[in-house]
């Protein structure tokens, strides 16, 4: 059976990334994964080992180009990232800022570069923003800075002569809190009816990939969940 399409999940072994890999595979997509750890459910893996932005980009670009063999991707879903707290007076402030930059901005920059080369015309690129980063984040400055940079990158990619293929759409997803195993572990007493499910996100990505209900190019898409129901708010 011919594949329905091809996607790459950047951060494909994380909680959300693994959900996306499984979901798109169930829809008969060829699915590639980029992460520090391989995802055995994916058809293709790049295990990132480089310690610099340039090294990571080179190893991913080379292996992906070889695997695609001239085929184009319908979507690149960048869901890599992490979280770290801390204000300017925290002893780990510089480390947390550096970690957040590497986890969210490096991955988004590399995903954008891959999209310029391998995304089909009219394809989809999603980047990992965050709802809190549309405002100040004094208790998690490094995190807020990195996510705000991802928001700016998304806006820039939507502009003329950004380097993306014709009619390609770049979107940033801005969840408040995702319903992941780690969040359930560390925030067990929080109101989980306000958390956005990973199934919702993967199904949303699928709709966008199929060019259904896509927001405008460059949109920052907040995911606001209340009583278990999620609405999208564009900004």
């Amino acid at each position: 059976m011919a594949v329905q399409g091809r996607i790459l999940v950047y951060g494909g072994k994380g909680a959300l990334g693994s959900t996306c890999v499984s979901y798109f595979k169930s829809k008969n997509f060829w699915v590639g994964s980029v992460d520090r750890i391989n995802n055995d459910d994916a058809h293709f893996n790049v295990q990132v080992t480089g310690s610099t932005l340039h090294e990571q980009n080179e190893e991913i670009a080379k292996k992906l180009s070889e695997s695609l063999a001239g085929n184009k991707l319908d979507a690149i879903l960048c869901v890599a990232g992490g979280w770290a707290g801390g204000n300017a007076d925290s002893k780990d402030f510089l480390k947390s800022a550096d970690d957040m930059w590497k986890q969210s901005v490096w991955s988004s920059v590399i995903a954008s570069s891959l999209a310029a080369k391998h995304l089909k015309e009219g394809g989809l690129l999603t980047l990992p923003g965050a709802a809190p980063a549309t405002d100040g984040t004094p208790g998690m400055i490094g995190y807020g800075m990195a996510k705000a940079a991802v928001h700016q990158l998304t806006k820039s990619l939507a502009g003329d002569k950004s380097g993306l293929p014709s009619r390609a759409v770049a979107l940033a997803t801005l969840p408040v809190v995702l319903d992941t195993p780690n969040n359930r572990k560390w925030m067990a007493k929080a109101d989980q009816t306000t958390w956005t499910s990973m199934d919702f996100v993967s199904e949303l990505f699928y709709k966008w990939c199929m060019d259904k209900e896509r927001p405008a190019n460059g949109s920052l898409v907040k995911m606001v969940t209340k009583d278990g129901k999620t609405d999208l708010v564009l900004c």
Side-chain angles (χ1 to χ4, degrees):
M1 182 185 297
V3 298
Q4 182 174 188
R6 293 177 173 83
I7 70 159
L8 182 70
V9 182
Y10 200 126
K13 185 58 176 175
L16 178 57
S18 294
T19 301
C20 291
V21 168
S22 297
Y23 186 83
F24 274 86
K25 190 175 178 182
S26 75
K27 295 294 186 180
N28 198 35
F29 271 71
W30 178 94
V31 183
S33 172
V34 174
D35 211 317
R36 292 283 184 182
I37 303 171
N38 286 342
N39 185 329
D40 292 338
D41 286 338
H43 296 99
F44 164 77
N45 280 277
V46 179
Q47 187 172 2
V48 181
T49 60
S51 59
T52 69
L53 175 63
H54 178 73
E55 288 173 351
Q56 291 183 14
N57 180 66
E58 286 294 304
E59 63 183 338
I60 297 168
K62 181 177 185 295
K63 292 176 182 178
L64 179 63
S65 182
E66 292 172 352
S67 181
L68 287 175
N71 290 301
K72 294 294 185 179
L73 293 167
D74 294 83
I76 295 178
L77 311 176
C78 183
V79 294
W83 180 88
N87 63 18
D89 192 42
S90 301
K91 65 182 180 69
D92 293 328
F93 175 51
L94 297 183
K95 182 182 184 303
S96 67
D98 185 48
D99 288 345
M100 292 300 93
W101 197 262
K102 289 175 180 176
Q103 291 178 17
S104 290
V105 180
W106 282 19
S107 59
S108 295
V109 169
I110 294 172
S112 301
S113 178
L114 297 174
K117 297 175 179 64
H118 298 293
L119 203 60
K120 73 176 187 180
E121 291 189 357
L124 170 70
L125 170 66
T126 70
L127 299 178
T134 58
D135 205 346
T137 55
M140 47 182 183
I141 294 178
Y143 176 83
M145 288 171 57
K147 293 300 186 180
V150 173
H151 299 172
Q152 198 282 336
L153 173 59
T154 303
K155 296 288 187 181
S156 293
L157 290 170
D160 292 337
K161 300 180 181 178
S162 71
L164 290 187
S166 172
R167 297 181 288 104
V169 171
L171 302 171
T173 53
L174 280 61
V176 178
V177 180
L178 286 175
D179 189 357
T180 66
N182 270 343
N183 285 339
R184 283 182 173 268
K185 176 181 178 180
W186 297 112
M187 297 188 287
K189 296 181 179 180
D191 180 4
Q192 297 175 8
T193 65
T194 64
W195 295 4
T196 303
S197 79
M198 293 183 291
D199 287 339
F200 174 88
V201 179
S202 60
E203 290 167 10
L204 182 67
F205 284 158
Y206 177 72
K207 284 197 299 185
W208 290 350
C209 186
M210 303 305 292
D211 200 12
K212 296 179 180 178
E213 301 176 26
R214 273 190 194 175
N217 195 10
S219 293
L220 309 181
V221 186
K222 284 187 178 181
M223 300 177 181
V224 181
T225 303
K226 183 178 180 181
D227 297 328
K229 181 181 182 298
T230 302
D231 292 312
L232 303 182
V233 179
L234 305 185
C235 53

